[in-house]
């Protein structure tokens, strides 16, 4: 973990509310790790690290003032990281199921693991991506139901989306990257607690990726 | 207690020293550890934090490993190479006294011991103890007897007692310091759902300034760690003007650990110009 000063090289709009923020350098991180990014808000926000055009990058969905600032105004970001436990190698072939906010991560996962990628977006994508894409709920549900044959699944998305995926693939080897409000990202403040079958755990230091059978659904 | 520069990372946000990987230690006068209680506490159920307009609300609930497990970790804190203030809390008079007894053989390992009398998050917690003045005075008297040589600090909020009256009791019982203020009880709507917790952030600054001002007006010697809405060197200067002995940085760490370096630098400049 270190202090990061990141020059934004390019911003690419992915769909109605999500942008790729591509930095002008490629720094070291492991798949699944994240950074805490400073915005005009009071608390730094976590973003999963990925790569785009061989540069380190994050994907940002505009949800409020802070994310709006990153997308519309920032050309330089202060952050700390990389943080969190990396995703470890799994046997067999996996499927990464993700919202467009994890598009840059897909490139990293693809490089390291034997994986297919399914991107589920509520609104049509503006750019061409090299991955299978499902637009809207019906398309997404159909794509999931046609994806039963994988050895493991790694899921990035909203709580609702994760629950949907869990219900469909219950009993299979599932991993979920969780989001919970984070104060520090480094294990100091204990704000990002989640309830698991083994008691309270923290997304920033025990995760962000958790096995599906460990979580309380 | 010599805190040089007069800057303290506050209990809670400062964790167990995790930030020191990101902050130049020369800017940190002391670090107050997360509050430890007699028994382990799992903390409150999620979610535990949210941000509003100019404030943060939290309901962590004093998650900590309990004093016995904590004592097994003591060497970790020696390696931090920073002055360490221990923070202790409890739910009852008995718990405060028992934890003071438990820690007694190790008291010299810490530069000061802060008793958290104000965490508003725990049912029947610190807040109600200050509200019951007789019980609280008993803790203050007895803890001083149990820990005769320690630099004792009380961390107080603004609810349950006027801070200047609390300071009077502390001074009369030879306590050394007071941390002003802790979070203030608040209620926040997050997506239509009510969150009850403690408020921190810029919103607290004028309240904390007044608390420091009132205590310093009556007691010239008590060591005051100012805490509440300090986000930059101007904030720090204002707190020093009203009588703070040291500047506490808590929730501002979540904005940027660089705030510590900015304020630390300013405080070092002021110290140099006073020498």
């Amino acid at each position: 973990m270190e202090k990061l000063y990141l020059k934004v090289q390019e911003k690419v709009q992915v769909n109605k509310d999500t942008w790729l923020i591509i930095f002008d350098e490629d720094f070291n991180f492991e798949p699944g790790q994240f950074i805490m990014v400073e915005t005009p808000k009071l608390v730094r926000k976590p973003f999963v690290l990925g790569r785009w055009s061989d540069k380190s990058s994050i994907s940002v969905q505009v949800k409020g003032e802070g994310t709006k600032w990153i997308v519309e105004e920032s050309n330089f970001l202060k952050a700390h990281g990389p943080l969190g436990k990396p995703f470890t190698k799994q046997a067999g072939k996996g499927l990464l199921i993700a919202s467009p906010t994890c598009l840059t991560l897909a490139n990293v996962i693809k490089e390291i693991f034997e994986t297919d990628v399914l991107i589920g977006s509520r609104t049509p994508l503006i750019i061409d991506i090299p991955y299978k894409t499902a637009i809207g709920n019906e398309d997404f549900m159909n794509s999931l139901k046609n994806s039963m044959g994988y050895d493991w699944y790694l899921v990035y998305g909203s709580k609702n989306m994760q629950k949907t995926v869990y219900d469909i693939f219950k009993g299979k080897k599932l991993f979920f990257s969780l989001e919970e409000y984070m104060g520090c990202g480094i294990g100091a403040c204990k704000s990002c607690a989640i309830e698991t079958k083994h008691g309270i755990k923290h997304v920033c230091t025990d995760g962000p990726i958790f096995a599906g059978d460990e979580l309380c659904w | 207690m010599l805190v040089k520069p007069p800057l303290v990372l506050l209990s809670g946000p400062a964790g167990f020293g995790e930030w020191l990987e990101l902050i130049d230690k020369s800017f940190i006068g002391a670090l107050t550890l997360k509050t430890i209680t007699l028994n382990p506490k799992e903390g409150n159920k999620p979610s535990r934090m949210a941000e509003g307009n100019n404030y943060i609300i939290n309901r962590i609930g004093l998650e900590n490993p309990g004093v016995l497990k904590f004592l097994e970790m003591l060497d970790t804190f020696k390696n931090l190479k920073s002055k360490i203030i221990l923070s202790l809390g409890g739910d009852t008079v008995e718990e405060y006294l028992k934890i003071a007894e438990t820690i007694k053989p190790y008291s010299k390992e810490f530069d000061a011991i802060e008793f958290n009398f104000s965490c508003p998050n725990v049912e029947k917690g610190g807040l109600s103890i200050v509200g019951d003045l007789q019980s609280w005075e008993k803790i203050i008297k007895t803890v001083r007897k149990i820990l005769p040589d320690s630099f004792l600090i009380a961390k107080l909020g603004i609810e349950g007692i006027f801070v200047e009256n609390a300071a009077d009791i502390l001074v009369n019982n030879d306590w050394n310091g007071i941390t002003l203020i802790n979070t203030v009880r608040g209620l926040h709507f997050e997506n239509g759902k009510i969150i009850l917790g403690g408020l921190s952030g810029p919103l607290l600054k004028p309240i904390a300034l007044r608390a420091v001002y009132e205590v310093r007006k009556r007691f010239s010697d008590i060591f005051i760690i100012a805490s509440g809405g300090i986000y930059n060197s101007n904030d720090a200067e204002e707190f020093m003007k009203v009588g703070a002995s040291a500047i506490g940085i808590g929730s501002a760490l979540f904005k940027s650990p660089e705030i510590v370096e900015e304020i630390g630098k300013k405080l070092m400049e002021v110290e140099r110009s006073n020498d």
Side-chain angles (χ1 to χ4, degrees):
Chain A
M1 166 178 68
E2 58 185 331
K3 285 191 263 191
L4 298 167
Y5 301 92
L6 303 167
K7 193 167 184 300
V8 177
Q9 183 177 281
E10 200 184 350
K11 297 173 187 174
V12 178
Q13 187 169 7
V14 179
N15 67 5
K16 196 180 162 199
D17 60 3
T18 305
W19 273 258
L20 307 180
I21 306 295
I22 302 154
F23 304 121
D24 76 338
E25 60 175 314
D26 186 23
F27 53 88
N28 285 333
F29 61 87
E30 301 289 332
Q33 289 192 299
F34 64 95
I35 51 172
M36 294 292 284
V37 176
E38 188 172 337
T39 76
K41 300 283 282 177
L42 293 176
V43 182
R44 288 187 173 194
K45 300 282 178 274
F47 294 94
V48 173
L49 283 164
R51 272 196 191 90
W52 197 265
S53 312
D54 296 325
K55 301 282 187 265
S56 298
S57 58
I58 55 174
S59 313
V60 177
Q61 184 184 17
V62 175
K63 288 180 177 171
E65 222 179 282
T67 44
K68 192 167 179 249
W69 176 85
I70 294 177
V71 164
E72 290 182 3
E73 291 180 50
S74 73
N75 43 38
F76 174 80
L77 295 175
K78 287 183 180 180
H80 60 279
L83 306 165
K85 281 188 180 164
F87 183 58
T88 50
K89 197 163 173 57
Q90 303 299 319
K93 189 167 185 179
L95 177 67
L96 170 68
I97 304 168
S99 61
T101 42
C102 295
L103 206 45
T104 61
L105 172 79
N107 290 341
V108 176
I109 296 282
K110 236 2 229 168
E111 268 172 34
I112 300 173
F113 306 101
E114 196 193 345
T115 331
D116 286 338
V117 176
L118 170 63
I119 300 292
S121 177
R122 279 204 197 99
T123 55
L125 296 195
I126 292 167
I127 56 165
D128 286 331
I129 58 165
Y131 303 121
K132 189 177 176 194
T133 310
I135 308 296
N137 275 347
E138 204 185 320
D139 194 8
F140 185 58
M141 290 301 284
N142 288 335
S143 299
L144 290 178
K145 284 171 188 161
N146 292 329
S147 307
M148 302 304 284
Y150 291 93
D151 298 304
W152 53 270
Y153 298 81
L154 174 60
V155 187
Y156 279 78
S158 66
K159 279 181 184 165
N160 283 344
M161 188 263 239
Q162 294 195 340
K163 178 74 169 75
T164 304
V165 174
Y166 176 79
D167 288 341
I168 291 175
F169 297 105
K170 212 180 321 189
K172 289 183 175 285
K173 205 171 185 187
L174 296 169
F175 299 93
F176 293 88
S177 183
L178 301 191
E179 284 182 23
E180 189 59 59
Y181 197 94
M182 259 181 216
C184 67
I186 60 174
C189 74
K190 309 295 180 201
S191 65
C192 60
I194 54 155
E195 285 182 290
T196 72
K197 288 180 182 158
H198 314 294
I200 291 278
K201 294 215 170 175
H202 302 94
V203 174
C204 72
T205 46
D206 299 314
I209 296 168
F210 293 86
D213 56 9
E214 192 186 351
L215 302 172
C216 304
W217 297 93
Chain B
M1 185 192 183
L2 193 63
V3 183
K4 228 173 152 62
L7 186 151
V8 178
L9 298 192
L10 295 166
S11 183
F16 284 141
E18 292 85 348
W19 290 103
L20 298 189
E21 250 188 82
L22 292 170
I23 301 170
D24 181 342
K25 284 178 200 171
S26 63
F27 296 115
I28 301 169
L31 182 149
T32 310
L33 301 174
K34 220 165 189 34
T35 297
I36 300 297
T37 51
L38 194 60
N39 300 312
K41 275 186 192 288
E42 198 180 43
N44 286 325
K45 286 191 184 299
S47 53
R48 294 181 170 181
M49 192 181 278
E51 182 176 341
N53 191 13
N54 236 12
Y55 64 83
I56 296 164
I57 189 161
N58 90 79
R59 47 184 300 281
I60 309 292
L62 292 186
E63 178 184 330
N64 80 93
V67 71
L68 296 180
K69 190 93 189 149
F70 168 78
L71 289 172
E72 290 171 17
M73 299 158 61
L74 276 190
D75 283 346
T76 325
F77 306 121
K78 279 182 203 156
N79 294 335
L80 292 178
K81 295 193 174 99
S82 172
K83 283 199 172 182
I84 298 293
I85 302 173
L86 174 64
S87 170
L88 300 175
D91 283 347
T92 61
V93 175
E94 291 68 35
E95 276 185 26
Y96 277 101
L97 301 184
K98 210 166 168 192
I99 201 168
E101 290 282 7
T102 312
I103 217 76
K104 185 176 178 169
Y106 309 91
S107 59
K108 289 199 167 59
E109 307 274 344
F110 303 99
D111 296 279
I113 301 178
E114 179 178 273
F115 281 76
N116 181 356
F117 290 118
S118 50
C119 180
N121 294 334
V122 184
E123 210 183 329
K124 293 192 222 160
L127 187 61
S128 58
I129 283 184
V130 183
D132 176 358
L133 205 55
Q134 268 185 334
S135 298
W136 188 63
E137 222 174 329
K138 184 182 165 194
I139 297 173
I140 296 303
K141 265 192 202 351
T142 319
V143 165
R144 180 37 100 199
K145 278 183 198 146
I146 297 168
L147 299 166
D149 304 319
S150 292
F151 192 97
L152 292 180
I153 301 169
K155 181 162 186 175
L156 290 168
I158 51 157
E159 292 160 301
I161 190 168
F162 282 107
V163 288
E164 54 272 41
N165 296 344
D168 196 18
I169 292 170
L170 294 170
V171 168
N172 286 335
N173 287 285
D174 299 322
W175 279 51
N176 310 86
I178 186 165
T179 300
L180 294 169
I181 58 176
N182 203 334
T183 55
V184 176
R185 286 194 305 171
L187 186 156
H188 171 86
F189 277 97
E190 186 73 9
N191 302 324
K193 216 177 112 194
I194 284 179
I195 297 181
L196 300 176
L199 300 177
S200 62
L203 194 69
L204 291 199
K205 193 181 124 185
I207 305 169
L209 274 169
R210 178 71 185 267
V212 171
Y213 171 86
E214 292 296 341
V215 170
R216 180 56 76 217
K217 198 167 70 175
R218 283 182 55 185
F219 305 97
S220 56
D221 292 333
I222 194 165
F223 190 87
I224 303 175
I225 301 174
S227 150
I230 303 172
Y231 275 73
N232 55 49
S233 52
N234 289 336
D235 295 337
E237 270 187 297
E238 288 181 11
F239 276 93
M240 294 309 264
K241 272 185 197 157
V242 295
S245 316
I247 294 302
I249 311 288
S251 297
L253 286 166
F254 304 151
K255 169 90 179 150
S256 168
E258 288 175 21
I259 287 173
V260 175
E261 297 173 1
E262 184 212 323
I263 295 175
K265 240 177 239 169
K266 181 73 193 178
L267 293 171
M268 283 158 112
E269 270 171 37
V270 172
E271 275 189 332
R272 268 197 297 274
S273 64
N274 290 343
D275 280 347

